[in-house]
Amino acid sequence: MEGLMAFWSETGIANFAPDQIFMMAIGGLLLFLAISKGFEPLLLVPIGFGAILANIPNAGFTDEGGLLWYAYHVGIETGIFPLLIFMGVGALTDFGALIANPKTLLLGAAAQFGIFATLLGAIALNLVPGFEFSMQDAAAIAIIGGADGPTAIFLASKLAPDLLGAIAVAAYSYMALVPLIQPPIMRLLTSESERTIKMEQLREVSKKEKIIFPLMVVGMTILFLPAATPLVGMFCLGNLMRECGVVDRLSSTAQNELINVVTIFLGLAVGSKLQAEEFLRIETLGILVLGAVAFSIGTAAGVMMAKLMSKLSGGKINPLIGAAGVSAVPMAARVVNKVGLEANQQNFLLMHAMGPNVAGVLGSAVAAGVLLAVLG
Amino acid sequence: MTSISEQLFDALGVMIMGMGLVFIFLSMLIVGIKIVARLCKSEIQPTVAYAPAPVAASATTLDPKLVAAITSAIHQYRAKD
Protein backbone atom coordinates (compact mmCIF):
# COMPACT_ATOMS: atom_id res chain seq x y z
CA MET A 1 0.00 0.00 0.00
CA GLU A 2 2.82 2.37 0.86
CA GLY A 3 4.43 1.66 -2.49
CA LEU A 4 1.21 2.54 -4.24
CA MET A 5 0.99 5.82 -2.35
CA ALA A 6 4.58 6.64 -3.28
CA PHE A 7 3.76 5.91 -6.91
CA TRP A 8 0.64 8.08 -6.75
CA SER A 9 2.59 10.99 -5.32
CA GLU A 10 4.91 10.79 -8.31
CA THR A 11 2.19 10.78 -10.99
CA GLY A 12 1.39 13.80 -13.09
CA ILE A 13 -2.21 13.86 -11.89
CA ALA A 14 -1.22 14.31 -8.26
CA ASN A 15 1.25 17.09 -8.98
CA PHE A 16 -0.44 19.21 -11.61
CA ALA A 17 -0.77 22.89 -10.87
CA PRO A 18 -3.52 24.75 -12.77
CA ASP A 19 -1.09 27.09 -14.49
CA GLN A 20 0.93 24.14 -15.79
CA ILE A 21 -2.21 22.70 -17.35
CA PHE A 22 -2.91 26.10 -18.87
CA MET A 23 0.58 26.26 -20.40
CA MET A 24 0.18 22.73 -21.76
CA ALA A 25 -3.04 23.91 -23.36
CA ILE A 26 -1.08 26.75 -24.98
CA GLY A 27 1.43 24.18 -26.25
CA GLY A 28 -1.51 22.19 -27.59
CA LEU A 29 -2.89 25.32 -29.26
CA LEU A 30 0.47 25.93 -30.98
CA LEU A 31 0.47 22.32 -32.18
CA PHE A 32 -3.07 22.74 -33.47
CA LEU A 33 -2.20 25.95 -35.33
CA ALA A 34 0.87 24.29 -36.84
CA ILE A 35 -0.73 21.01 -37.86
CA SER A 36 -4.27 22.01 -38.84
CA LYS A 37 -3.74 25.57 -39.98
CA GLY A 38 -0.22 25.25 -41.36
CA PHE A 39 1.13 28.25 -39.37
CA GLU A 40 4.96 28.07 -39.47
CA PRO A 41 4.79 24.32 -38.73
CA LEU A 42 8.56 23.86 -38.83
CA LEU A 43 8.89 25.95 -35.70
CA LEU A 44 5.56 25.77 -33.97
CA VAL A 45 5.60 21.94 -33.78
CA PRO A 46 8.85 21.76 -31.76
CA ILE A 47 7.96 24.92 -29.79
CA GLY A 48 4.48 23.63 -28.95
CA PHE A 49 5.77 20.21 -27.96
CA GLY A 50 8.60 21.80 -26.00
CA ALA A 51 6.02 23.84 -24.10
CA ILE A 52 4.20 20.64 -23.15
CA LEU A 53 7.43 18.91 -22.07
CA ALA A 54 8.57 21.92 -20.06
CA ASN A 55 5.42 21.93 -17.94
CA ILE A 56 5.30 18.27 -16.95
CA PRO A 57 5.53 18.08 -13.18
CA ASN A 58 8.38 15.90 -11.83
CA ALA A 59 9.84 15.22 -15.28
CA GLY A 60 12.87 17.45 -14.86
CA PHE A 61 13.27 18.35 -18.53
CA THR A 62 14.02 21.95 -17.68
CA ASP A 63 15.88 21.37 -14.40
CA GLU A 64 19.61 21.65 -14.43
CA GLY A 65 20.95 18.65 -16.34
CA GLY A 66 17.72 18.01 -18.25
CA LEU A 67 17.52 17.84 -22.02
CA LEU A 68 15.72 21.14 -22.48
CA TRP A 69 17.98 22.85 -19.98
CA TYR A 70 20.99 21.81 -22.03
CA ALA A 71 19.35 22.75 -25.32
CA TYR A 72 18.64 26.22 -23.96
CA HIS A 73 22.02 26.83 -22.37
CA VAL A 74 24.11 25.40 -25.19
CA GLY A 75 22.14 26.81 -28.08
CA ILE A 76 20.24 29.90 -27.11
CA GLU A 77 22.02 31.47 -24.17
CA THR A 78 25.21 31.38 -26.22
CA GLY A 79 23.40 32.64 -29.32
CA ILE A 80 24.66 29.70 -31.39
CA PHE A 81 21.32 28.31 -32.64
CA PRO A 82 19.92 31.54 -34.09
CA LEU A 83 23.27 32.22 -35.75
CA LEU A 84 23.41 28.77 -37.37
CA ILE A 85 19.85 29.30 -38.60
CA PHE A 86 20.94 32.63 -40.00
CA MET A 87 23.75 30.92 -41.91
CA GLY A 88 21.20 28.53 -43.39
CA VAL A 89 18.91 31.42 -44.31
CA GLY A 90 21.88 33.08 -46.01
CA ALA A 91 22.48 29.91 -48.01
CA LEU A 92 18.81 29.88 -48.99
CA THR A 93 18.69 33.54 -50.05
CA ASP A 94 19.15 34.71 -53.61
CA PHE A 95 20.17 38.36 -53.64
CA GLY A 96 19.72 38.62 -57.42
CA ALA A 97 16.54 40.70 -57.23
CA LEU A 98 18.16 43.08 -54.76
CA ILE A 99 21.38 43.50 -56.75
CA ALA A 100 19.35 44.14 -59.90
CA ASN A 101 17.36 46.90 -58.18
CA PRO A 102 19.47 48.17 -55.26
CA LYS A 103 17.07 51.07 -54.53
CA THR A 104 14.82 48.55 -52.81
CA LEU A 105 17.30 48.50 -49.92
CA LEU A 106 15.67 51.78 -48.87
CA LEU A 107 12.36 49.93 -48.46
CA GLY A 108 14.05 47.37 -46.24
CA ALA A 109 15.43 50.26 -44.20
CA ALA A 110 12.09 52.08 -43.92
CA ALA A 111 10.28 48.99 -42.66
CA GLN A 112 12.65 48.92 -39.68
CA PHE A 113 10.77 51.95 -38.39
CA GLY A 114 8.40 49.39 -36.87
CA ILE A 115 11.22 48.28 -34.58
CA PHE A 116 12.23 51.71 -33.37
CA ALA A 117 8.67 53.03 -33.00
CA THR A 118 7.86 50.03 -30.83
CA LEU A 119 10.87 50.76 -28.67
CA LEU A 120 9.14 54.01 -27.82
CA GLY A 121 5.82 52.18 -27.39
CA ALA A 122 7.29 49.64 -24.97
CA ILE A 123 8.73 52.39 -22.78
CA ALA A 124 5.43 54.28 -22.96
CA LEU A 125 3.70 51.12 -21.73
CA ASN A 126 5.53 51.64 -18.43
CA LEU A 127 2.90 54.34 -17.74
CA VAL A 128 0.41 51.49 -17.30
CA PRO A 129 0.72 50.08 -13.78
CA GLY A 130 2.08 46.53 -13.73
CA PHE A 131 4.57 47.05 -16.57
CA GLU A 132 8.20 47.73 -15.91
CA PHE A 133 10.22 47.33 -19.09
CA SER A 134 13.83 48.42 -19.02
CA MET A 135 15.41 49.89 -22.12
CA GLN A 136 16.94 46.45 -22.88
CA ASP A 137 13.58 44.72 -22.52
CA ALA A 138 11.98 47.31 -24.78
CA ALA A 139 14.63 46.79 -27.46
CA ALA A 140 14.22 42.99 -27.35
CA ILE A 141 10.44 43.36 -27.69
CA ALA A 142 10.72 45.93 -30.45
CA ILE A 143 12.83 43.64 -32.65
CA ILE A 144 9.67 41.54 -33.18
CA GLY A 145 8.81 44.28 -35.69
CA GLY A 146 11.75 43.08 -37.79
CA ALA A 147 9.68 39.95 -38.46
CA ASP A 148 12.79 37.83 -38.35
CA GLY A 149 12.71 34.91 -35.91
CA PRO A 150 16.45 34.21 -35.49
CA THR A 151 17.27 37.90 -35.11
CA ALA A 152 14.56 38.30 -32.47
CA ILE A 153 15.80 35.26 -30.53
CA PHE A 154 19.43 36.36 -30.80
CA LEU A 155 18.72 39.86 -29.53
CA ALA A 156 16.37 38.67 -26.79
CA SER A 157 18.94 36.15 -25.55
CA LYS A 158 21.48 38.97 -25.26
CA LEU A 159 19.30 41.77 -23.87
CA ALA A 160 16.32 40.24 -22.08
CA PRO A 161 16.63 36.46 -21.54
CA ASP A 162 13.64 36.32 -19.18
CA LEU A 163 11.32 37.58 -21.90
CA LEU A 164 12.71 35.24 -24.56
CA GLY A 165 9.84 32.72 -24.57
CA ALA A 166 7.16 35.33 -25.09
CA ILE A 167 9.21 37.23 -27.66
CA ALA A 168 9.98 34.12 -29.72
CA VAL A 169 6.38 32.97 -29.66
CA ALA A 170 5.16 36.45 -30.64
CA ALA A 171 7.75 36.75 -33.44
CA TYR A 172 6.90 33.40 -34.99
CA SER A 173 3.15 33.79 -34.52
CA TYR A 174 3.12 37.14 -36.29
CA MET A 175 5.30 35.80 -39.07
CA ALA A 176 2.70 33.11 -39.57
CA LEU A 177 -0.01 35.77 -39.54
CA VAL A 178 1.65 37.91 -42.24
CA PRO A 179 -1.06 37.01 -44.81
CA LEU A 180 -3.71 38.24 -42.39
CA ILE A 181 -2.02 41.32 -40.89
CA GLN A 182 -0.46 42.91 -43.97
CA PRO A 183 -3.12 43.09 -46.74
CA PRO A 184 -5.57 45.43 -44.92
CA ILE A 185 -2.73 47.86 -44.15
CA MET A 186 -1.50 47.67 -47.75
CA ARG A 187 -4.98 48.34 -49.17
CA LEU A 188 -5.61 51.18 -46.74
CA LEU A 189 -2.46 53.05 -47.71
CA THR A 190 -2.51 52.62 -51.49
CA SER A 191 -5.00 53.59 -54.19
CA GLU A 192 -6.38 51.15 -56.75
CA SER A 193 -4.35 52.76 -59.55
CA GLU A 194 -1.13 52.55 -57.52
CA ARG A 195 -1.65 48.87 -56.93
CA THR A 196 -1.95 48.18 -60.66
CA ILE A 197 1.43 49.74 -61.51
CA LYS A 198 3.54 47.32 -63.51
CA MET A 199 7.27 47.27 -62.95
CA GLU A 200 10.04 46.84 -65.52
CA GLN A 201 11.63 43.45 -65.76
CA LEU A 202 14.77 43.09 -63.68
CA ARG A 203 18.14 42.88 -65.40
CA GLU A 204 20.18 39.73 -65.15
CA VAL A 205 22.84 39.70 -62.45
CA SER A 206 26.24 38.17 -63.10
CA LYS A 207 27.73 35.49 -60.88
CA LYS A 208 30.62 37.79 -60.04
CA GLU A 209 28.29 40.43 -58.59
CA LYS A 210 26.55 37.80 -56.50
CA ILE A 211 29.88 36.60 -55.10
CA ILE A 212 31.12 40.10 -54.34
CA PHE A 213 27.86 41.09 -52.60
CA PRO A 214 28.20 39.06 -49.36
CA LEU A 215 31.87 40.02 -49.11
CA MET A 216 30.97 43.68 -49.49
CA VAL A 217 28.21 43.47 -46.87
CA VAL A 218 30.49 41.79 -44.36
CA GLY A 219 33.27 44.28 -45.12
CA MET A 220 30.98 47.22 -44.41
CA THR A 221 29.70 45.62 -41.22
CA ILE A 222 33.26 45.11 -40.02
CA LEU A 223 34.03 48.77 -40.66
CA PHE A 224 30.89 50.43 -39.35
CA LEU A 225 28.87 48.09 -37.17
CA PRO A 226 30.94 45.30 -35.60
CA ALA A 227 28.09 44.61 -33.15
CA ALA A 228 26.08 43.21 -36.08
CA THR A 229 28.88 40.93 -37.34
CA PRO A 230 27.64 37.76 -35.58
CA LEU A 231 24.34 37.96 -37.46
CA VAL A 232 25.52 39.53 -40.71
CA GLY A 233 28.74 37.50 -40.77
CA MET A 234 27.00 34.12 -40.51
CA PHE A 235 24.39 35.24 -43.00
CA CYS A 236 27.03 36.29 -45.51
CA LEU A 237 29.02 33.09 -44.97
CA GLY A 238 25.93 31.08 -45.90
CA ASN A 239 25.29 33.28 -48.92
CA LEU A 240 28.89 33.12 -50.11
CA MET A 241 28.85 29.32 -49.88
CA ARG A 242 25.72 29.36 -52.04
CA GLU A 243 27.00 31.74 -54.68
CA CYS A 244 30.68 30.85 -55.02
CA GLY A 245 29.79 27.49 -56.56
CA VAL A 246 32.81 25.56 -55.27
CA VAL A 247 31.34 24.30 -51.99
CA ASP A 248 27.95 23.04 -53.07
CA ARG A 249 28.13 20.29 -50.45
CA LEU A 250 28.53 22.77 -47.61
CA SER A 251 25.89 25.06 -49.03
CA SER A 252 23.43 22.20 -49.33
CA THR A 253 24.16 21.08 -45.77
CA ALA A 254 23.67 24.59 -44.43
CA GLN A 255 20.33 24.99 -46.17
CA ASN A 256 19.00 21.50 -45.48
CA GLU A 257 20.39 19.14 -42.84
CA LEU A 258 22.03 21.67 -40.56
CA ILE A 259 19.17 24.15 -40.51
CA ASN A 260 16.73 21.30 -39.88
CA VAL A 261 18.69 19.85 -36.98
CA VAL A 262 19.13 23.29 -35.42
CA THR A 263 15.45 24.14 -35.95
CA ILE A 264 14.39 21.10 -33.92
CA PHE A 265 16.56 22.07 -30.97
CA LEU A 266 15.86 25.77 -31.27
CA GLY A 267 12.14 25.06 -31.21
CA LEU A 268 12.45 22.77 -28.18
CA ALA A 269 14.64 25.25 -26.33
CA VAL A 270 12.24 28.12 -27.00
CA GLY A 271 9.36 25.88 -25.94
CA SER A 272 11.18 25.22 -22.67
CA LYS A 273 10.91 28.93 -21.91
CA LEU A 274 7.12 28.61 -21.98
CA GLN A 275 7.06 27.53 -18.36
CA ALA A 276 4.09 28.72 -16.36
CA GLU A 277 6.04 30.87 -13.92
CA GLU A 278 7.93 32.66 -16.67
CA PHE A 279 5.16 33.01 -19.24
CA LEU A 280 1.99 33.69 -17.27
CA ARG A 281 2.74 37.30 -16.48
CA ILE A 282 1.18 40.58 -17.47
CA GLU A 283 4.31 41.40 -19.47
CA THR A 284 3.53 38.59 -21.93
CA LEU A 285 0.26 40.26 -22.85
CA GLY A 286 2.10 43.54 -23.39
CA ILE A 287 4.67 41.79 -25.59
CA LEU A 288 1.98 40.20 -27.76
CA VAL A 289 0.25 43.56 -28.24
CA LEU A 290 3.49 45.47 -28.88
CA GLY A 291 4.62 42.80 -31.36
CA ALA A 292 1.48 43.25 -33.45
CA VAL A 293 1.91 47.03 -33.33
CA ALA A 294 5.57 46.74 -34.36
CA PHE A 295 4.67 44.56 -37.28
CA SER A 296 1.89 46.84 -38.51
CA ILE A 297 3.99 49.99 -38.23
CA GLY A 298 6.83 48.30 -40.10
CA THR A 299 4.50 47.32 -42.93
CA ALA A 300 3.00 50.81 -43.08
CA ALA A 301 6.41 52.51 -43.07
CA GLY A 302 7.59 50.27 -45.91
CA VAL A 303 4.51 51.05 -48.00
CA MET A 304 4.79 54.80 -47.33
CA MET A 305 8.45 54.77 -48.37
CA ALA A 306 7.56 52.87 -51.54
CA LYS A 307 4.83 55.44 -52.27
CA LEU A 308 7.39 58.21 -51.95
CA MET A 309 9.81 56.39 -54.23
CA SER A 310 6.98 55.74 -56.68
CA LYS A 311 6.19 59.47 -56.82
CA LEU A 312 9.85 60.42 -57.23
CA SER A 313 10.47 57.85 -59.96
CA GLY A 314 7.39 58.96 -61.91
CA GLY A 315 5.28 55.89 -61.18
CA LYS A 316 7.79 53.15 -61.94
CA ILE A 317 7.54 51.51 -58.54
CA ASN A 318 4.48 49.73 -57.24
CA PRO A 319 4.03 50.89 -53.63
CA LEU A 320 2.85 47.44 -52.59
CA ILE A 321 6.40 46.08 -52.67
CA GLY A 322 7.24 48.30 -49.68
CA ALA A 323 5.27 45.94 -47.47
CA ALA A 324 7.83 43.23 -48.18
CA GLY A 325 10.45 45.39 -46.45
CA VAL A 326 9.67 43.64 -43.16
CA SER A 327 11.68 40.43 -43.50
CA ALA A 328 9.47 37.31 -43.15
CA VAL A 329 11.06 35.82 -46.29
CA PRO A 330 9.39 34.75 -48.54
CA MET A 331 5.92 35.05 -47.04
CA ALA A 332 5.78 38.86 -47.23
CA ALA A 333 6.80 38.83 -50.90
CA ARG A 334 4.10 36.27 -51.67
CA VAL A 335 1.52 38.44 -49.93
CA VAL A 336 2.59 41.42 -52.05
CA ASN A 337 2.24 39.29 -55.18
CA LYS A 338 -1.24 38.19 -54.12
CA VAL A 339 -2.50 41.70 -53.38
CA GLY A 340 -0.98 42.90 -56.66
CA LEU A 341 -2.78 40.15 -58.59
CA GLU A 342 -6.08 41.15 -56.97
CA ALA A 343 -5.71 44.63 -58.46
CA ASN A 344 -4.43 43.47 -61.84
CA GLN A 345 -4.61 39.86 -62.99
CA GLN A 346 -1.50 40.28 -65.17
CA ASN A 347 0.72 41.95 -62.61
CA PHE A 348 3.30 39.61 -61.10
CA LEU A 349 5.21 41.41 -58.36
CA LEU A 350 6.89 38.42 -56.73
CA MET A 351 10.41 39.00 -58.07
CA HIS A 352 10.18 42.74 -57.46
CA ALA A 353 9.06 42.12 -53.88
CA MET A 354 11.94 39.72 -53.23
CA GLY A 355 14.35 42.70 -53.38
CA PRO A 356 12.86 44.62 -50.44
CA ASN A 357 12.17 41.29 -48.74
CA VAL A 358 15.83 40.25 -48.51
CA ALA A 359 16.74 43.89 -47.86
CA GLY A 360 14.48 43.61 -44.82
CA VAL A 361 16.56 40.70 -43.50
CA LEU A 362 19.70 42.81 -43.79
CA GLY A 363 17.88 45.84 -42.36
CA SER A 364 16.66 44.01 -39.28
CA ALA A 365 20.11 42.49 -38.71
CA VAL A 366 21.59 46.00 -38.91
CA ALA A 367 18.89 47.35 -36.58
CA ALA A 368 19.66 44.52 -34.13
CA GLY A 369 23.33 45.45 -34.35
CA VAL A 370 22.54 49.09 -33.59
CA LEU A 371 20.42 48.12 -30.58
CA LEU A 372 23.15 45.76 -29.33
CA ALA A 373 25.81 48.41 -29.77
CA VAL A 374 23.82 51.07 -27.93
CA LEU A 375 22.16 49.01 -25.18
CA GLY A 376 24.16 45.79 -24.89
CA MET B 1 15.04 54.40 -11.25
CA THR B 2 14.86 57.09 -13.87
CA SER B 3 11.52 58.69 -14.59
CA ILE B 4 9.46 57.46 -17.51
CA SER B 5 9.68 60.75 -19.38
CA GLU B 6 13.45 60.52 -19.20
CA GLN B 7 13.33 56.96 -20.52
CA LEU B 8 11.00 58.04 -23.30
CA PHE B 9 13.43 60.73 -24.25
CA ASP B 10 16.25 58.16 -24.37
CA ALA B 11 14.13 55.85 -26.49
CA LEU B 12 13.39 58.70 -28.88
CA GLY B 13 17.12 59.29 -29.19
CA VAL B 14 17.77 55.61 -29.94
CA MET B 15 14.94 55.67 -32.48
CA ILE B 16 16.27 58.64 -34.42
CA MET B 17 19.83 57.43 -34.29
CA GLY B 18 18.87 53.84 -35.13
CA MET B 19 16.77 54.76 -38.16
CA GLY B 20 19.50 57.13 -39.29
CA LEU B 21 22.18 54.45 -39.01
CA VAL B 22 20.07 51.81 -40.77
CA PHE B 23 19.42 54.22 -43.63
CA ILE B 24 23.05 55.31 -43.89
CA PHE B 25 24.31 51.73 -43.82
CA LEU B 26 21.92 50.49 -46.47
CA SER B 27 22.43 53.60 -48.62
CA MET B 28 26.16 52.95 -48.62
CA LEU B 29 25.35 49.41 -49.69
CA ILE B 30 23.33 50.79 -52.62
CA VAL B 31 26.35 52.82 -53.72
CA GLY B 32 28.55 49.73 -53.31
CA ILE B 33 26.23 47.55 -55.41
CA LYS B 34 26.10 50.21 -58.15
CA ILE B 35 29.89 50.47 -58.28
CA VAL B 36 30.27 46.67 -58.48
CA ALA B 37 27.55 46.53 -61.15
CA ARG B 38 29.40 49.13 -63.24
CA LEU B 39 32.72 47.32 -62.87
CA CYS B 40 31.19 44.00 -63.84
CA LYS B 41 29.24 45.51 -66.73
CA SER B 42 32.33 46.85 -68.48
CA GLU B 43 33.78 43.35 -68.27
CA ILE B 44 30.68 41.51 -69.40
CA GLN B 45 29.69 43.62 -72.38
CA PRO B 46 32.51 42.65 -74.78
CA THR B 47 31.92 38.95 -74.13
CA VAL B 48 28.17 39.37 -74.63
CA ALA B 49 28.71 41.18 -77.93
CA TYR B 50 31.21 38.55 -79.00
CA ALA B 51 29.31 35.45 -77.95
CA PRO B 52 26.40 35.46 -80.43
CA ALA B 53 28.72 35.93 -83.42
CA PRO B 54 30.07 32.37 -83.77
CA VAL B 55 26.60 30.90 -83.27
CA ALA B 56 25.22 33.05 -86.08
CA ALA B 57 28.22 32.23 -88.29
CA SER B 58 27.89 28.48 -87.90
CA ALA B 59 24.16 28.73 -88.58
CA THR B 60 24.62 30.63 -91.85
CA THR B 61 27.55 28.58 -93.20
CA LEU B 62 25.51 25.38 -93.02
CA ASP B 63 24.12 25.34 -96.52
CA PRO B 64 20.81 23.43 -96.82
CA LYS B 65 22.20 21.57 -99.88
CA LEU B 66 25.21 20.47 -97.87
CA VAL B 67 22.97 19.26 -95.07
CA ALA B 68 20.92 17.29 -97.58
CA ALA B 69 24.08 15.75 -99.07
CA ILE B 70 25.40 14.72 -95.65
CA THR B 71 22.03 13.30 -94.67
CA SER B 72 21.76 11.22 -97.82
CA ALA B 73 25.37 10.03 -97.43
CA ILE B 74 24.69 8.85 -93.89
CA HIS B 75 21.51 7.22 -95.11
CA GLN B 76 23.32 5.34 -97.86
CA TYR B 77 26.12 4.29 -95.51
CA ARG B 78 23.60 2.89 -93.00
CA ALA B 79 21.61 1.16 -95.75
CA LYS B 80 24.76 -0.76 -96.85
CA ASP B 81 24.82 -2.94 -93.68
Side-chain angles (χ1 to χ4, degrees):
Chain A
M1 192 63 197
E2 248 172 52
L4 203 63
M5 285 304 287
F7 176 75
W8 169 251
S9 68
E10 282 295 312
T11 57
I13 310 168
N15 284 289
F16 261 130
D19 46 358
Q20 286 173 328
I21 296 177
F22 182 77
M23 287 311 294
M24 282 192 172
I26 290 191
L29 175 73
L30 293 179
L31 285 179
F32 170 76
L33 289 177
I35 297 169
S36 298
K37 303 278 172 190
F39 283 0
E40 294 281 331
L42 290 177
L43 273 145
L44 289 190
V45 168
I47 291 179
F49 208 85
I52 293 176
L53 293 181
N55 287 288
I56 302 174
N58 289 351
F61 271 110
T62 51
D63 299 339
E64 195 169 334
L67 171 70
L68 295 179
W69 186 86
Y70 274 118
Y72 181 79
H73 283 267
V74 170
I76 293 193
E77 207 172 69
T78 55
I80 288 176
F81 284 171
L83 293 178
L84 287 177
I85 298 257
F86 227 56
M87 181 173 76
V89 174
L92 283 163
T93 304
D94 180 359
F95 278 108
L98 178 67
I99 300 172
N101 193 2
K103 282 196 295 287
T104 53
L105 271 168
L106 293 177
L107 300 174
Q112 309 314 319
F113 185 65
I115 294 178
F116 293 104
T118 309
L119 183 71
L120 212 59
I123 295 293
L125 206 61
N126 283 345
L127 292 169
V128 181
F131 288 100
E132 241 180 67
F133 290 129
S134 69
M135 204 65 162
Q136 279 77 7
D137 295 346
I141 298 166
I143 202 76
I144 298 173
D148 193 273
T151 309
I153 292 175
F154 180 75
L155 200 69
S157 70
K158 297 283 173 221
L159 295 180
D162 356 326
L163 301 178
L164 188 120
I167 289 173
V169 168
Y172 282 111
S173 317
Y174 292 131
M175 275 166 71
L177 291 176
V178 163
L180 297 180
I181 298 176
Q182 286 199 318
I185 301 171
M186 290 154 76
R187 288 194 200 102
L188 188 73
L189 291 174
T190 53
S191 67
E192 183 75 30
S193 63
E194 281 173 325
R195 267 174 271 154
T196 53
I197 294 177
K198 279 200 176 182
M199 292 178 66
E200 282 170 36
Q201 213 184 342
L202 295 170
R203 75 175 171 93
E204 217 157 294
V205 175
S206 68
K207 188 181 167 195
K208 205 168 172 185
E209 283 175 89
K210 285 188 174 177
I211 294 177
I212 294 174
F213 183 77
L215 294 172
M216 185 169 67
V217 173
V218 101
M220 282 180 52
T221 320
I222 292 168
L223 291 179
F224 301 108
L225 199 58
T229 35
L231 283 167
V232 176
M234 291 304 278
F235 188 73
C236 289
L237 171 63
N239 192 248
L240 183 65
M241 292 197 296
R242 171 202 178 91
E243 300 297 353
C244 70
V246 290
V247 286
D248 286 342
R249 283 166 44 184
L250 302 188
S251 160
S252 125
T253 301
Q255 52 184 285
N256 297 294
E257 294 86 354
L258 183 61
I259 202 171
N260 291 345
V261 169
V262 176
T263 301
I264 294 173
F265 286 106
L266 178 85
L268 278 176
V270 168
S272 79
K273 283 278 131 182
L274 297 183
Q275 278 175 291
E277 59 266 35
E278 291 192 42
F279 193 79
L280 293 181
R281 291 187 301 194
I282 183 82
E283 281 98 335
T284 304
L285 212 59
I287 290 171
L288 289 174
V289 172
L290 285 168
V293 171
F295 213 92
S296 310
I297 295 179
T299 305
V303 174
M304 293 311 287
M305 184 73 189
K307 265 176 92 114
L308 179 71
M309 285 168 67
S310 180
K311 291 259 156 54
L312 291 178
S313 69
K316 279 189 188 157
I317 291 173
N318 189 317
L320 288 179
I321 66 166
V326 302
S327 343
V329 181
M331 189 97 84
R334 285 201 201 124
V335 169
V336 169
N337 193 46
K338 193 164 154 261
V339 177
L341 282 177
E342 277 168 20
N344 177 355
Q345 283 290 313
Q346 307 296 320
N347 201 4
F348 296 96
L349 293 170
L350 187 64
M351 277 323 284
H352 299 287
M354 278 317 281
N357 212 182
V358 295
V361 179
L362 280 180
S364 47
V366 171
V370 171
L371 290 173
L372 261 183
V374 178
L375 303 169
Chain B
M1 181 71 205
T2 47
S3 70
I4 289 176
S5 60
E6 219 169 287
Q7 275 189 312
L8 272 175
F9 198 72
D10 284 349
L12 195 70
V14 173
M15 179 170 115
I16 293 168
M17 192 191 64
M19 277 313 279
L21 284 174
V22 170
F23 263 101
I24 292 171
F25 190 89
L26 295 183
S27 306
M28 285 194 302
L29 208 52
I30 294 180
V31 176
I33 292 175
K34 287 200 167 153
I35 293 172
V36 172
R38 186 158 304 166
L39 291 178
C40 287
K41 208 176 180 181
S42 56
E43 264 175 40
I44 290 170
Q45 257 177 352
T47 55
V48 168
Y50 172 75
V55 177
S58 65
T60 46
T61 47
L62 267 189
D63 188 35
K65 275 186 192 165
L66 188 71
V67 174
I70 295 171
T71 318
S72 77
I74 293 173
H75 219 73
Q76 281 175 11
Y77 176 77
R78 286 202 180 141
K80 263 200 297 194
D81 300 303

